[in-house]
Amino acid sequence: MKIQIWSDVMCPFCYIGKRRFEQALEQFEHKDEIEVEWKSFQLNPNLVTDPDININQYLADIKGITLDHAKQLNDHVTQMAAEVGLTYDFDKAVVANSFDAHRFAHLAKQYGLGDEAEEALFKAYFTEGKNIADHETLAELGASIGLDKDEVAHTLKGNKYAINVNQDIAQAQQLGIRGVPFFVMDMKYAVSGAQPVDAFTQTIEKAYSEWTVNKPAKLEIVEGDSCDINGNC
């Protein structure tokens, strides 16, 4: 059974959702029959990469709030991340357009390293303060997960996989996805946001039980914490 995950590297709930989903999948009796596919989504496709502005300032600017308020919001998300074993450092995070990071992820997917690419990107962005729009940084991340560094660099110089990113985004629009993370189970059920582990478990089990008997598809959504295209997290 296929589970597709629409996500953006710069979405803090996407990394948290990844961990909770992984915990649910690890407990699932038939996990060996599950295929996970990561799909591209951009919360702000017009974002201009600016290493001189960190995420706290970016959040304050787009929401029209004070820097202190933005830090408080990010501190709350940092605490949520810590509960699933993740370390967020918003003071170091670099404001970066994620389009090329998504192209990088599609390259990795061709080698069966899609999940490894997503993990490396999230860690680079939220924990290590790396610029995930920088091609050299992406090439180094590629090498760290087993890709050829030169191939990554060569791929990013052109437009390869741009069409794949845009197709994922178009598919998200067709499904009515306006926020991420968004987990689609066998195109029948969906979990929107970084839901508790139990919500993932229940939805995976329900989708799997119907997948085994090939029941007609009908998408049902369980809502949770997410980031949307209007900059709300």
Side-chain angles (χ1 to χ4, degrees):
M1 186 183 79
K2 178 177 284 190
I3 297 178
Q4 297 166 306
I5 308 172
W6 272 266
S7 169
D8 195 4
V9 182
M10 65 182 299
C11 165
F13 291 116
C14 289
Y15 201 6
I16 295 170
K18 182 178 187 293
R19 276 295 181 274
R20 291 178 178 173
F21 168 74
E22 288 169 344
Q23 290 175 19
L25 191 59
E26 182 61 30
Q27 299 168 9
F28 184 54
E29 181 181 0
H30 305 285
K31 62 184 178 181
D32 292 341
E33 297 180 65
I34 302 299
E35 175 190 354
V36 177
E37 179 185 18
W38 288 86
K39 308 283 278 186
S40 302
F41 191 94
Q42 278 203 292
L43 292 166
N44 186 355
N46 298 316
L47 175 67
V48 177
T49 300
D50 189 345
D52 295 326
I53 301 178
N54 71 13
I55 296 303
N56 291 319
Q57 187 61 59
Y58 169 73
L59 181 62
D61 291 343
I62 63 170
K63 285 186 170 292
I65 59 178
T66 65
L67 183 60
D68 284 342
H69 188 192
K71 287 182 177 180
Q72 290 174 5
L73 293 175
N74 282 334
D75 284 345
H76 174 68
V77 178
T78 298
Q79 183 177 353
M80 288 180 62
E83 291 171 357
V84 292
L86 298 175
T87 301
Y88 281 9
D89 190 340
F90 286 104
D91 290 327
K92 290 169 56 178
V94 176
V95 173
N97 189 291
S98 61
F99 193 84
D100 282 350
H102 285 301
R103 290 203 295 129
F104 161 77
H106 274 280
L107 169 63
K109 188 189 298 187
Q110 304 307 307
Y111 292 93
L113 296 170
D115 191 76
E116 290 82 354
E118 296 293 335
E119 182 69 27
L121 286 167
F122 281 133
K123 184 177 181 181
Y125 187 82
F126 287 108
T127 304
E128 300 171 339
K130 294 182 179 179
N131 182 352
I132 52 88
D134 178 71
H135 290 184
E136 178 62 25
T137 296
L138 292 173
E140 291 174 355
L141 289 180
S144 74
I145 64 171
L147 293 174
D148 182 88
K149 185 175 180 179
D150 291 337
E151 182 181 4
V152 176
H154 178 73
T155 297
L156 295 173
K157 283 182 180 179
N159 293 316
K160 194 171 184 180
Y161 299 113
I163 189 171
N164 303 79
V165 176
N166 288 324
Q167 285 174 341
D168 283 354
I169 293 171
Q171 187 179 7
Q173 293 173 342
Q174 292 171 354
L175 291 173
I177 300 173
R178 295 184 58 81
V180 287
F182 198 90
F183 303 76
V184 177
M185 323 289 183
D186 195 34
M187 293 304 292
K188 293 182 181 180
Y189 299 100
V191 173
S192 174
Q195 290 279 351
V197 174
D198 286 348
F200 284 112
T201 299
Q202 293 169 11
T203 309
I204 292 171
E205 290 177 346
K206 186 174 184 179
Y208 178 83
S209 67
E210 297 190 10
W211 174 71
T212 58
V213 294
N214 296 315
K215 290 189 176 181
K218 182 179 179 182
L219 189 65
E220 294 184 11
I221 303 173
V222 180
E223 300 285 355
D225 293 324
S226 62
C227 295
D228 65 28
I229 57 178
N230 297 316
N232 298 310
C233 286

